[in-house]
Amino acid sequence: FQSFQSLSEERNFVFLSNKIEPSSILETAPLFDDLKKELTRKKFLGPNFTESYCWPPVARGCDVVAISYQGNDPFLYIPPVLTFLQSGSCYKALPNRNGPLALILCPGWKKAQLVFELLKTYERCSRQLHPMLIILGQNKEEARSVKIRGCEVIVTTPYSLLRLFEYHSSLFCRLCHLVLDEIEVLFSDATEQVFTILDCYKKAIITEEWEYSPHQIIAVGTRWNKHTACLIKEFMNDPYVVITAVEEASIYGNVQQVVQPCTTSERTAVLLKILDFTHHNLQKVLVFTNSVNEAEMVHKDSSVYQEYTKARSVILLTENSACHALGILQYLQHAEVEIPPELHDFTAKTLEAEEDKKFSRPLCAYLKTFGICKSRTVCPDRHQINLQVDVPPNIPDKIIQTPGCVTILPLHIVNATNYFGRIVDKQKDQYTILAEEINEYFKKPSNKISVKNVEKLAFYGLCEKALFHRVQVVDISPKEEENLFFNVKIKYIDEGRTSQVQSYQLLHLPATFQCLPPQAVEFVVCRVKPIDNEIEWNPKVTHYIHHKIKGKLHEAKIVHTLGNTAWVDPMVRVTRLSDLKVSVNEYNVRSEILSTGLGTDNPEHLTQLQKLCGHMKVLDHAKNLEPLSIKEDTAGPENVSSLQNMSIQENSTENCNSSKTTFGDHRCDGVAQTKETEDSTLHQRKWYRNSVFYPEIKWFQNEETVTLKVKITSVADFKCEFSKEKVVFSACSGDKLYLADMELHQYILAEKSTCVIKDKEAIIILTKENKGAWSKLLKNKNPHVSFDFEHWEDFEEKSPFPVGTKKLYCTAAVTEESVNSSEDSGTESDE
């Protein structure tokens, strides 16, 4: 790390690689006594490693940059900033005007809320600072009405601060301390806004009245950002740079990053070549190996010292480095250095494998709600369609049978655009009838029979506020032997919400009341998202929408569906005055969200959804196939047209305060339930039923191999994946997608198995793990897989491959199952 030494000459730079014990530091770190007592009372043991080095310079009023694995923890700066603010004398030279002494910029409303709560907690033991949390939308009147009189600390976001500054020009007149929380996120999501704020701060402190007043910038984060260098150079004065993450220190120190691909067997030779030791070329080298033996192989003694100003990091990338490839790629991208093609190949396979691991996880909520996921690489949920999960068998019939306009009843509000509820049939709603019958049934005390043996996924009755609901047990907590009752997690199957109840509260639900499928449907309002690059809705918007729509009937146009989820655009509250035969549109939900100033247009939402579903994965193994042409069988022109017709109402009444009225049964605004063509969901279901087939497969074997003949002509693209006990084959032929997911009866050697495409069939050769005859091919019977009687005795003459030319073992293979399978084969099956 020689290159760090030259940098430390220009500023106070500390790279820390050894931890210290914080046990006694609280006794001596520079905090005022009352704050120490409060921290001790809350059982705070002492500052951690990074805090131990950040608190002293922050408490002295120095400029500080701290990059740490814990760099998103506000405790890096809150205690020392509060300590500095206790001294009122140093602020006497400031103008006697309204304005904060300290400003904390956070990357979003959620982090700002956390910082504000911490400030309120520890401000109690200090002088009154009157901190304010300011999160502003795009409504100018809201920013104009903010009062900051007496406030000495403001917690906000860059976008909100600039909206406030537009109407409070004196905001920086007393500002001494500017804190940038999660600096790498701020510079990534709001670069222009952050530098605008820094410019305003710099201009404010160059006046004469600031000569004897403190001015301090504190920047904390988890990663070094290229803009941080500009922050240090242009806006800080002799800053302390504390970096406790070694990889971030190497980027800060401009260490040269080199990745050298090689094979495992060549690794030592390649390393020695890179080191290139000669008497005229001596280097300081630090080598990390996996074992003592490897260390001894590359050990070289050197007694000559030579100083270098440029450090270099070399990573040897072998075929066994796949598990580290993604992390190395992300680090090199972060360091903005050249990336070898071999690393891209490694990471492509790793990313594919990581996504495959998520195949049973829920579909990412951000994808559904906004069309994109900003944290895809670290998001734990799935980002591809899995029909087995996303299209469950118990979908309410109303989603499938009711295209176009529907009447919906939102009952559980997740956030501003995501709700659970029911599709209501105005003529004769089956659930309304069932609910009345259930409540009548349980009014009789003799029918309230508590369940003794609670089973997971079973349906029960539950009384809540004199109403009875159908619920399903989602999870059961471990029972304690001494407890008769225990907690269970339940789902209200007709509303969508979940809850925890005691087991004794569950009532026996007669089978008659279980015939109607669960009625809860997930609704998502399209084409709107939070402002300021936020990824979650501000609670203000959710609270507002919750009180406006819960339990009220709305007219909605379903523009897209996936399983139990329906995307709607628009969603309108319509009041019908029956006496006058007049329908009044009270509000449009999307317009209401926009009117709060905390939501903005999201025009790509529906496009992203259609793109996601246009590349549906029937199973994870088929994802590399070319997407089939859906043509007019999916979201065709007629659906686009109907969407545009439904949008006329919204575009003409964007201001929700002006309602439209219509006379008779006809509505001119496009919300009328006119006859529509089938929506995209029905077309997609029809397309998949007609286009996904299980191919006809015949098989035979010898002592060492099993041969499968897959009957497909004109294969345009195919994929065949082998594992120890499974083979998955997928291929396109014309406008059809063929898929065979085969769980084998016995184990194979995946690395020695292969697949070849012929003119009218695909030939798959499986190499047996253990020699001998198989009694059957698959674990479970499949009518499309049968034994190939043509190769009963003459395998040697007809085999198209040189492998497996020994005598065929067929006696054990001709079982009753294989014969029956042969008789049933030859028909196509839709998935």
Side-chain angles (χ1 to χ4, degrees):
F1 299 98
Q2 295 286 337
S3 57
F4 296 152
Q5 296 180 358
S6 60
L7 290 168
S8 64
E9 295 174 0
E10 301 177 8
R11 60 184 69 94
N12 297 309
F13 168 74
V14 184
F15 168 66
L16 305 166
S17 58
N18 294 315
K19 292 189 176 181
I20 60 175
E21 293 295 331
S23 56
S24 62
I25 289 185
L26 191 58
E27 300 290 331
T28 59
L31 306 181
F32 64 98
D33 291 338
D34 289 342
L35 181 55
K36 288 181 182 179
K37 292 177 183 178
E38 181 68 14
L39 291 172
T40 303
R41 189 178 69 84
K42 292 185 177 297
K43 303 186 185 302
F44 181 72
L45 298 178
N48 62 28
F49 177 47
T50 309
E51 291 165 352
S52 301
Y53 287 92
C54 288
W55 285 6
V58 171
R60 292 199 301 269
C62 301
D63 288 343
V64 175
V65 173
I67 306 296
S68 164
Y69 298 122
Q70 298 82 33
N72 56 359
D73 186 354
F75 241 63
L76 279 177
Y77 59 83
I78 285 181
V81 166
L82 287 176
T83 297
F84 196 98
L85 288 170
Q86 295 311 297
S87 175
S89 59
C90 62
Y91 302 112
K92 291 182 178 179
L94 294 173
N96 188 21
R97 300 172 64 184
N98 287 319
L101 295 176
L103 175 64
I104 303 176
L105 287 183
C106 299
W109 67 263
K110 204 167 189 178
K111 183 60 179 289
Q113 180 75 42
L114 171 64
V115 172
F116 178 72
E117 293 299 331
L118 285 173
L119 278 177
K120 292 290 290 183
T121 298
Y122 292 101
E123 182 234 6
R124 298 168 189 164
C125 59
S126 67
R127 70 181 183 86
Q128 293 298 308
L129 301 173
H130 306 289
M132 288 183 65
L133 173 65
I134 299 179
I135 303 296
L136 298 174
Q138 296 174 334
N139 291 346
K140 296 182 178 180
E141 186 58 37
E142 185 182 10
R144 187 182 291 111
S145 63
V146 173
K147 305 296 182 183
I148 58 175
R149 184 182 299 274
C151 168
E152 295 194 0
V153 182
I154 288 179
V155 184
T156 185
T157 66
Y159 291 95
S160 293
L161 180 67
L162 292 180
R163 293 184 187 115
L164 181 66
F165 183 54
E166 186 176 350
Y167 298 97
H168 297 269
S169 57
S170 61
L171 195 61
F172 292 89
C173 69
R174 289 169 48 84
L175 186 62
C176 296
H177 312 276
L178 176 60
V179 180
L180 305 178
D181 191 294
E182 294 191 47
I183 186 66
E184 73 281 2
V185 183
L186 288 174
F187 277 141
S188 174
D189 293 348
T191 310
E192 182 180 347
Q193 290 74 18
V194 171
F195 278 114
T196 299
I197 294 168
L198 287 169
D199 285 332
C200 292
Y201 178 70
K202 186 176 182 179
K203 292 175 182 176
I205 63 176
I206 61 175
T207 58
E208 292 183 2
E209 55 196 7
W210 280 89
E211 185 177 356
Y212 301 104
S213 301
H215 42 88
Q216 177 186 42
I217 298 179
I218 304 166
V220 299
T222 58
R223 303 180 77 190
W224 181 263
N225 185 283
K226 62 181 180 181
H227 296 298
T228 311
C230 180
L231 168 69
I232 292 173
K233 182 178 180 181
E234 301 293 333
F235 300 97
M236 288 185 164
N237 179 29
D238 193 25
Y240 278 75
V241 181
V242 180
I243 303 180
T244 59
V246 62
E247 60 270 33
E248 303 303 321
S250 68
I251 294 176
Y252 170 83
N254 199 26
V255 175
Q256 181 184 3
Q257 307 292 335
V258 178
V259 175
Q260 179 62 55
C262 65
T263 63
T264 302
S265 59
E266 299 173 336
R267 187 173 51 184
T268 303
V270 171
L271 175 60
L272 294 175
K273 183 178 179 181
I274 291 174
L275 298 180
D276 189 25
F277 284 117
T278 66
H279 290 291
H280 302 288
N281 183 24
L282 298 173
Q283 306 176 44
K284 283 186 175 181
V285 179
L286 179 62
V287 180
F288 295 91
T289 65
N290 289 327
S291 66
V292 175
N293 291 335
E294 289 183 351
E296 292 177 350
M297 291 175 63
V298 298
H299 174 64
K300 295 285 183 178
D301 289 327
S302 177
S303 59
V304 180
Y305 175 81
Q306 183 175 352
E307 185 170 329
Y308 286 85
T309 58
K310 184 71 173 178
R312 180 169 59 154
S313 169
V314 180
I315 300 174
L316 298 182
L317 185 67
T318 71
E319 67 274 12
N320 298 325
S321 306
C323 60
H324 306 293
L326 183 58
I328 294 173
L329 174 67
Q330 292 173 341
Y331 177 64
L332 294 181
Q333 290 174 334
H334 175 38
E336 298 183 347
V337 299
E338 184 178 355
I339 301 172
E342 293 87 347
L343 184 56
H344 277 297
D345 295 338
F346 267 138
T347 53
K349 296 176 182 178
T350 303
L351 286 171
E352 183 178 336
E354 287 298 318
E355 281 298 323
D356 286 347
K357 290 178 184 177
K358 303 176 183 178
F359 204 54
S360 60
R361 292 281 304 166
L363 186 63
C364 174
Y366 296 110
L367 275 186
K368 293 199 293 187
T369 309
F370 306 127
I372 60 170
C373 176
K374 294 177 64 176
S375 307
R376 188 162 184 153
T377 55
V378 296
C379 178
D381 291 331
R382 177 168 41 89
H383 301 90
Q384 53 195 350
I385 299 299
N386 179 352
L387 289 181
Q388 293 177 333
V389 177
D390 296 324
V391 187
N394 58 347
I395 302 174
D397 294 338
K398 293 173 183 176
I399 289 188
I400 304 173
Q401 298 174 357
T402 313
C405 280
V406 294
T407 301
I408 68 175
L409 181 65
L411 296 168
H412 173 53
I413 313 303
V414 180
N415 58 47
T417 55
N418 187 203
Y419 333 122
F420 283 87
R422 293 196 300 271
I423 297 177
V424 179
D425 188 335
K426 288 184 177 180
Q427 304 300 323
K428 185 179 180 181
D429 188 61
Q430 291 181 311
Y431 176 76
T432 301
I433 298 171
L434 179 69
E436 292 175 355
E437 294 175 352
I438 291 176
N439 280 277
E440 286 295 324
Y441 174 81
F442 282 116
K443 280 183 180 179
K444 298 179 180 179
S446 60
N447 292 334
K448 297 179 181 178
I449 305 173
S450 296
V451 179
K452 294 183 179 179
N453 298 318
V454 178
E455 298 180 6
K456 190 175 181 179
L457 302 182
F459 294 95
Y460 301 102
L462 178 72
C463 181
E464 184 182 72
K465 297 180 181 179
L467 292 177
F468 292 88
H469 302 269
R470 300 192 303 170
V471 300
Q472 182 181 30
V473 173
V474 178
D475 194 19
I476 301 176
S477 63
K479 300 180 183 178
E480 299 180 8
E481 294 182 0
E482 63 272 15
N483 291 341
L484 295 175
F485 309 112
F486 48 91
N487 288 326
V488 294
K489 183 179 181 181
I490 60 165
K491 180 178 181 180
Y492 295 75
I493 63 173
D494 301 308
E495 295 185 12
R497 59 190 170 102
T498 59
S499 181
Q500 291 274 353
V501 298
Q502 288 285 307
S503 59
Y504 71 86
Q505 295 178 265
L506 299 177
L507 305 174
H508 173 71
L509 187 68
T512 308
F513 298 143
Q514 300 184 36
C515 295
L516 186 67
Q519 296 296 292
V521 176
E522 182 181 24
F523 300 105
V524 179
V525 174
C526 290
R527 298 190 301 117
V528 62
K529 63 181 179 181
I531 60 172
D532 303 342
N533 292 319
E534 296 274 8
I535 61 173
E536 294 185 45
W537 284 109
N538 189 300
K540 292 180 182 178
V541 193
T542 299
H543 182 76
Y544 173 71
I545 295 298
H546 176 276
H547 285 278
K548 198 164 191 71
I549 72 171
K550 184 178 179 180
K552 299 178 182 178
L553 294 175
H554 292 74
E555 301 292 323
K557 168 69 177 177
I558 295 180
V559 295
H560 193 80
T561 65
L562 179 64
N564 202 42
T565 303
W567 284 264
V568 295
D569 188 15
M571 175 178 167
V572 183
R573 169 67 172 166
V574 178
T575 300
R576 182 173 177 79
L577 307 178
S578 56
D579 294 339
L580 301 176
K581 292 187 177 181
V582 172
S583 294
V584 179
N585 291 351
E586 292 187 25
Y587 56 80
N588 179 301
V589 175
R590 179 175 178 272
S591 298
E592 287 293 294
I593 295 172
L594 293 173
S595 71
T596 65
L598 294 169
T600 188
D601 191 35
N602 184 13
E604 299 299 318
H605 188 185
L606 191 58
T607 303
Q608 293 292 337
L609 288 174
Q610 291 173 338
K611 180 180 178 181
L612 175 70
C613 295
H615 295 76
M616 276 187 178
K617 285 179 59 173
V618 182
L619 288 175
D620 50 341
H621 306 280
K623 64 181 168 297
N624 286 340
L625 292 175
E626 289 294 327
L628 300 179
S629 175
I630 302 178
K631 300 179 182 177
E632 62 272 6
D633 280 340
T634 56
E638 69 281 0
N639 294 295
V640 176
S641 175
S642 61
L643 171 62
Q644 292 172 343
N645 291 337
M646 288 302 297
S647 298
I648 292 175
Q649 178 267 343
E650 179 183 353
N651 294 334
S652 59
T653 59
E654 196 67 41
N655 185 349
C656 60
N657 294 325
S658 60
S659 300
K660 278 203 169 216
T661 58
T662 54
F663 296 90
D665 292 328
H666 176 68
R667 303 189 190 114
C668 300
D669 56 19
V671 186
Q673 295 191 21
T674 58
K675 182 175 177 61
E676 301 283 351
T677 56
E678 291 185 323
D679 71 344
S680 60
T681 303
L682 294 177
H683 288 301
Q684 285 179 351
R685 292 180 185 276
K686 178 181 176 182
W687 174 66
Y688 280 107
R689 283 199 297 267
N690 293 340
S691 301
V692 180
F693 297 86
Y694 202 109
E696 178 187 353
I697 298 175
K698 291 185 178 293
W699 71 282
F700 54 90
Q701 63 176 318
N702 63 25
E703 185 181 33
E704 298 177 347
T705 65
V706 177
T707 302
L708 284 68
K709 299 169 67 175
V710 186
K711 301 294 183 180
I712 298 179
T713 60
S714 305
V715 174
D717 196 1
F718 83 99
K719 184 178 182 183
C720 192
E721 293 188 354
F722 303 94
S723 62
K724 187 174 183 179
E725 55 186 5
K726 196 172 187 180
V727 178
V728 180
F729 174 85
S730 53
C732 283
S733 177
D735 61 349
K736 295 179 180 179
L737 171 63
Y738 289 91
L739 178 67
D741 190 347
M742 297 172 280
E743 192 171 2
L744 301 174
H745 174 58
Q746 296 194 35
Y747 294 150
I748 63 171
L749 299 175
E751 67 277 5
K752 293 186 178 181
S753 301
T754 187
C755 176
V756 176
I757 300 296
K758 294 292 185 179
D759 293 337
K760 295 183 179 181
E761 61 186 5
I763 308 296
I764 302 174
I765 301 294
L766 307 178
T767 302
K768 298 177 180 177
E769 184 177 73
N770 299 314
K771 295 182 180 180
W774 287 10
S775 61
K776 58 181 180 178
L777 177 66
L778 306 178
K779 278 188 177 181
N780 302 309
K781 179 181 176 181
N782 190 307
H784 308 288
V785 180
S786 61
F787 185 77
D788 189 352
F789 290 95
E790 292 183 3
H791 293 75
W792 184 284
E793 294 179 351
D794 56 346
F795 178 86
E796 296 183 6
E797 298 179 2
K798 297 198 175 187
S799 174
F801 296 96
V803 296
T805 56
K806 296 186 178 180
K807 183 169 177 158
L808 175 66
Y809 280 72
C810 60
T811 54
V814 185
T815 62
E816 180 181 355
E817 179 181 349
S818 63
V819 173
N820 291 337
S821 297
S822 176
E823 293 175 355
D824 295 336
S825 65
T827 58
E828 293 176 316
S829 171
D830 50 9
E831 293 279 289

